[in-house]
Amino acid sequence: MKRALGFRSGAIEIKSAKEVDAMREVGRLAADTLCKVGQLIRPGLTTEDINTFVHRETLRLGATPAPLNYRGFPKSVCTSINEVVCHGIPGPRALQQGDIINVDVTHIYKGYFGDTSATFYVGEPSDEAKHVTEVSRRSLQLGLEQVRAGARLGDIGAAIQEFAEGQGCSVVRDFVGHGIGRIFHDEPKVSHVGQWGRGARLKAGMTFTIEPMINVGTYEVRILDDDWTAITADGKLSAQFEHTVLVTESGYEILTARAEPLQNSELFGEYFAAG
């Protein structure tokens, strides 16, 4: 979940070695669930089917689905199709050939949160769908590569914004990454736009999400009457990828790293190879 909800004001928490181990554990569970979702994606699958699977799988792991009843959110996972930027509520809508869908999984396990998402292809994507999805995937990687002790928070947003806009896309401003641990949405707020060398200095032991939402058209969004679903203001496509990350002295560790490739997502590994 990304809207400005529940942020605790105050200092950015530094995790102990024991807390980091707990976050590795929950991060691995969330990543494994997301991988299993990828195996399901196909035309005809409904977003409610995805919700049912994620709910049951989360409980099977001994975890709790963090979105369920979080500030009134009615489901156990967010499913955001095509022009839906984030916070899509699962329901009867069936996936269709050519759709793209972001599935956002967050588990609570032993008191800690693990948050990750990916955009999946439903069958063969259009050139536009492929482009925005692969720009989003690459944007996350470039944001991650800025993370190390001593860097600035603004470096993450600057790297993402510079790349995405250079590819003819836009970066959503209204929703941000966030600190995470025993609290779902904690400090710092991690903007996906920014200026190099600005913002809080990163320190080893910080944990937060990076989750750029990249649009084909305008970066502006609007919220539907359900008070959750955010869509692009111009109705054009949006894509998103997300990891929970730990700041280390020499760089970063992805706490939601996946043990296997994402089916129906990691299909175009050479898309930016020439660049």
Side-chain angles (χ1 to χ4, degrees):
M1 320 280 291
K2 265 65 66 176
R3 72 178 180 181
L5 292 175
F7 279 93
R8 182 180 68 178
S9 60
I12 301 171
E13 185 179 45
I14 303 298
K15 304 297 190 300
S16 68
K18 183 177 181 180
E19 289 173 316
V20 169
D21 283 343
M23 292 196 65
R24 288 191 183 105
E25 194 170 16
V26 66
R28 177 181 57 80
L29 295 180
D32 287 350
T33 298
L34 189 65
C35 284
K36 290 177 180 176
V37 169
Q39 298 169 13
L40 302 176
I41 299 298
R42 65 183 186 279
L45 186 75
T46 69
T47 52
E48 185 61 44
D49 292 335
I50 296 172
N51 181 75
T52 297
F53 172 80
V54 169
H55 184 84
R56 291 175 177 171
E57 178 65 12
T58 306
L59 297 183
R60 187 190 69 80
L61 295 169
T64 301
L68 184 61
N69 299 321
Y70 179 77
R71 301 198 171 223
F73 192 80
K75 298 290 182 175
S76 295
V77 69
C78 297
T79 53
S80 303
I81 301 175
N82 295 338
E83 76 282 0
V84 180
V85 175
C86 60
H87 302 160
I89 300 173
R93 180 171 177 178
L95 301 182
Q96 298 181 12
Q97 172 73 29
D99 283 344
I100 55 174
I101 178 172
N102 176 270
V103 179
D104 192 339
V105 171
T106 309
H107 288 347
I108 311 170
Y109 187 71
K110 297 181 180 178
Y112 288 86
F113 290 80
D115 192 2
T116 187
S117 84
T119 296
F120 298 94
Y121 297 111
V122 184
E124 184 67 27
S126 67
D127 289 344
E128 185 174 71
K130 183 191 299 185
H131 185 68
V132 71
T133 300
E134 297 308 316
V135 169
S136 179
R137 191 193 313 274
R138 181 63 178 154
S139 293
L140 171 58
Q141 183 59 40
L142 291 172
L144 289 166
E145 290 173 3
Q146 310 314 311
V147 176
R148 66 185 183 283
R152 295 284 188 175
L153 197 59
D155 297 345
I156 298 169
I160 291 169
Q161 182 178 10
E162 185 177 283
F163 172 73
E165 292 180 353
Q167 294 294 322
C169 296
S170 65
V171 184
V172 172
R173 271 75 160 162
D174 287 5
F175 302 96
V176 298
H178 51 88
I180 190 170
R182 286 187 175 272
I183 296 173
F184 196 170
H185 296 95
D186 205 352
E187 296 294 339
K189 298 179 181 70
V190 183
S191 177
H192 304 111
V193 298
Q195 297 181 3
W196 295 101
R198 302 290 293 274
R201 196 174 294 280
L202 302 183
K203 297 179 181 180
M206 290 180 176
T207 56
F208 49 80
T209 70
I210 303 175
E211 44 188 295
M213 286 144 272
I214 306 300
N215 295 351
V216 168
T218 178
Y219 63 79
E220 295 177 335
V221 305
R222 65 184 182 90
I223 309 298
L224 299 186
D225 291 342
D226 60 23
D227 291 329
W228 281 104
T229 306
I231 67 170
T232 56
D234 55 12
K236 295 184 179 180
L237 295 176
S238 183
Q240 179 193 14
F241 289 85
E242 173 185 15
H243 274 308
T244 298
V245 63
L246 166 71
V247 182
T248 69
E249 291 291 351
S250 59
Y252 64 94
E253 177 184 341
I254 299 173
L255 298 175
T256 48
R258 297 181 289 270
E260 60 188 65
L262 279 175
Q263 293 188 30
N264 294 300
S265 180
E266 296 181 23
L267 305 178
F268 306 105
E270 302 302 314
Y271 192 80
F272 286 111

